[in-house]
Amino acid sequence: GAVGKVATQLGLNPETLRNWVNQVEVDQGRRNGLTTDERERMRELEKENRELRQANEILKSAAIVFGAELARRQPK
């Protein structure tokens, strides 16, 4: 089809061009799916989520270490 011909003329893989066209249609509201802005926001939130999970694990580990130190220092 037309996408294949244009892709060849531009030196692109037809599937790449087809994906770009589909994404433009989503961004314009002519096709269902996540817009480019929504995809970017999703990536940002996923990154933030990973960072928060890492921080939470670090805090849990620190709490265990400090708790053990406090228990060791308390008189029996």
Side-chain angles (χ1 to χ4, degrees):
V3 171
K5 288 180 184 180
V6 171
T8 301
Q9 291 172 351
L10 295 174
L12 296 171
N13 181 308
E15 194 58 32
T16 298
L17 185 57
R18 188 173 289 109
N19 288 339
W20 291 350
V21 169
N22 288 343
Q23 189 61 52
V24 168
E25 290 177 352
V26 169
D27 290 347
Q28 293 175 346
R30 297 186 306 170
R31 180 185 289 262
N32 288 331
L34 292 176
T35 66
T36 300
D37 291 341
E38 291 168 333
R39 285 181 188 278
E40 179 59 30
R41 182 69 177 136
M42 182 76 76
R43 276 191 289 275
E44 290 170 3
L45 290 172
E46 287 170 349
K47 180 181 177 190
E48 182 180 353
N49 194 328
R50 278 190 306 275
E51 291 170 354
L52 290 171
R53 287 179 190 273
Q54 280 183 319
N56 196 28
E57 288 303 316
I58 291 168
L59 290 172
K60 283 180 186 178
S61 296
I64 291 169
V65 169
F66 292 133
E69 181 64 22
L70 285 175
R72 186 182 68 78
R73 289 184 181 192
Q74 289 182 350
K76 295 181 180 183

